[in-house]
Amino acid sequence: GVYFKPEYMNKESQGVKYFKLDWRRTWKDVSFGFTSRNDNDNVFSKNFETFASVGMSKKKTYREKVDVEVSFDGYFPPDETGENTTFEFEDKFKISWKLTDKITLYNLGEVSKLQGKEFYKGKIGIEVAL
């Protein structure tokens, strides 16, 4: 299939702010296509840069109770000279353990290198289905 995914990020602690639009073609667990990103102070202006992007996503269930999801997205945005020599990425994982039919314990993590900044994020939480 083909998918389109908009995303807004404002990670003030790292100075990373953008609005991006991904449009990609998927084949099995791999996606490839283009990303348009606006990192201007006004992220909703028309100052977008478009560059190649790739990704991979995998999900597996173990013993009908534990779900493991892993995804990778890579981008080739232009540098200051306009050349596509930089590589940026977002690696994400989520491990979920189904405690009951309505309660799930999860661990979520992300390691990223975006706009020249490297950072990580982690969460532990409980999902409750109502």
Side-chain angles (χ1 to χ4, degrees):
V2 175
Y3 75 87
F4 172 75
K5 179 178 80 172
E7 179 184 344
Y8 173 74
M9 177 184 272
N10 187 356
K11 186 139 181 92
E12 291 181 10
S13 64
Q14 298 296 324
V16 176
K17 180 179 179 181
Y18 61 79
F19 178 69
K20 78 174 181 177
L21 305 168
D22 278 337
W23 56 86
R24 298 191 194 168
R25 172 108 172 114
T26 57
W27 180 71
K28 297 189 179 189
D29 298 329
V30 178
S31 66
F32 51 93
F34 296 97
T35 297
S36 292
R37 184 171 69 190
N38 184 343
D39 55 8
N40 195 322
D41 284 337
N42 177 8
V43 294
F44 298 107
S45 70
K46 296 181 180 181
N47 299 325
F48 282 89
E49 293 180 316
T50 300
F51 43 86
S53 56
V54 295
M56 184 193 77
S57 182
K58 196 83 162 156
K59 182 177 179 179
K60 187 156 183 167
T61 301
Y62 297 94
R63 297 189 178 160
E64 298 180 11
K65 292 208 175 258
V66 178
D67 289 331
V68 178
E69 298 176 59
V70 178
S71 69
F72 165 81
D73 285 308
Y75 311 98
F76 297 96
D79 58 16
E80 300 82 31
T81 63
E83 298 293 321
N84 294 80
T85 58
T86 57
F87 181 72
E88 297 181 354
F89 61 87
E90 295 176 278
D91 295 331
K92 299 176 184 177
F93 71 87
K94 182 178 181 183
I95 302 169
S96 305
W97 180 24
K98 194 172 198 175
L99 300 174
T100 68
D101 285 343
K102 296 191 179 243
I103 299 174
T104 303
L105 179 67
Y106 70 89
N107 181 16
L108 180 72
E110 180 178 333
V111 178
S112 301
K113 180 182 177 188
L114 299 168
Q115 296 178 330
K117 308 271 183 7
E118 293 185 42
F119 54 93
Y120 64 92
K121 173 172 63 172
K123 293 181 186 180
I124 297 174
I126 296 175
E127 294 176 355
V128 178
L130 302 175

